[in-house]
Amino acid sequence: MLAYIKWFCSISLLSMISGCTTGKPNNVEPITNFDVNRYLGQWYEIARLDHSFERGLDQVTATYSLNTDKTINVINRGFNSANQQWQQAQGKAKYVKQPNIGYLKVSFFGPFYGSYIIFALEKDYSAALVSSYNYDYLWILAREKKHITEITHSLPYPR
């Protein structure tokens, strides 16, 4: 029985770790010449691919601020219309490579990180396309609440 419990715990731990990765999808390249100071502040989620940790949330925002240790404080907030309450998650982001590359890793759960890849960004930092470690995660973010068509026509992304 003890061997079964150890095996089960090992498989569970491996499953949790494999669900959190800092890889990137093929053909998704993070932007260069990234300036974190210009990226800090509040962003509105214009659109996203559906996933469990934001399911049912509307009016989602992400707010980024610099911590004293040069990591980035992340506060994601959204309104759950089913229970009529705001929900919030706080995390921390770190650079995967150099600070001038839009390739970060974000954690909301202790030592487990997931990729945060900014692969398209307006020159004035007014809108961004963000991916994670695979094609199942995509966010369109903007500094102002806008309709998706206002943003997607101007973003510099590969067509």
Side-chain angles (χ1 to χ4, degrees):
M1 182 66 162
L2 183 59
Y4 174 76
I5 292 172
K6 285 182 181 178
W7 177 83
F8 180 76
C9 288
S10 297
I11 295 298
S12 297
L13 182 61
L14 265 171
S15 296
M16 284 191 324
I17 291 172
S18 67
C20 300
T21 180
T22 57
K24 65 179 190 60
N26 292 333
N27 301 322
V28 172
E29 294 301 323
I31 63 158
T32 56
N33 299 318
F34 177 65
D35 181 353
V36 70
N37 290 312
R38 293 182 67 196
Y39 198 80
L40 298 176
Q42 185 168 343
W43 290 83
Y44 294 94
E45 183 182 85
I46 304 303
R48 68 172 180 260
L49 292 180
D50 189 40
H51 46 78
S52 62
F53 51 91
E54 280 188 294
R55 189 163 291 137
L57 297 182
D58 295 313
Q59 303 175 51
V60 176
T61 60
T63 305
Y64 306 103
S65 59
L66 208 53
N67 293 320
T68 56
D69 64 357
K70 302 296 183 196
T71 60
I72 300 164
N73 185 51
V74 180
I75 297 176
N76 289 346
R77 189 170 190 255
F79 187 73
N80 185 324
S81 54
N83 64 16
Q84 296 292 299
Q85 292 185 343
W86 287 95
Q87 294 179 342
Q88 180 172 301
Q90 184 168 0
K92 181 193 301 190
K94 298 179 179 182
Y95 300 104
V96 172
K97 296 184 178 184
Q98 297 124 5
N100 67 331
I101 297 176
Y103 190 3
L104 298 96
K105 58 184 182 178
V106 180
S107 175
F108 292 95
F109 313 106
F112 304 107
Y113 284 84
S115 294
Y116 184 97
I117 305 160
I118 305 160
F119 66 95
L121 182 64
E122 286 282 5
K123 289 180 182 182
D124 64 357
Y125 284 64
S126 62
L129 294 177
V130 179
S131 179
S132 190
Y133 69 94
N134 67 25
Y135 295 115
D136 293 336
Y137 299 92
L138 176 71
W139 295 268
I140 300 175
L141 306 177
R143 293 295 189 169
E144 298 176 17
K145 294 180 188 178
K146 292 184 177 182
H147 191 272
I148 190 168
T149 55
E150 292 179 72
I151 293 168
T152 55
H153 290 299
S154 65
L155 270 166
Y157 62 93
R159 297 176 199 263

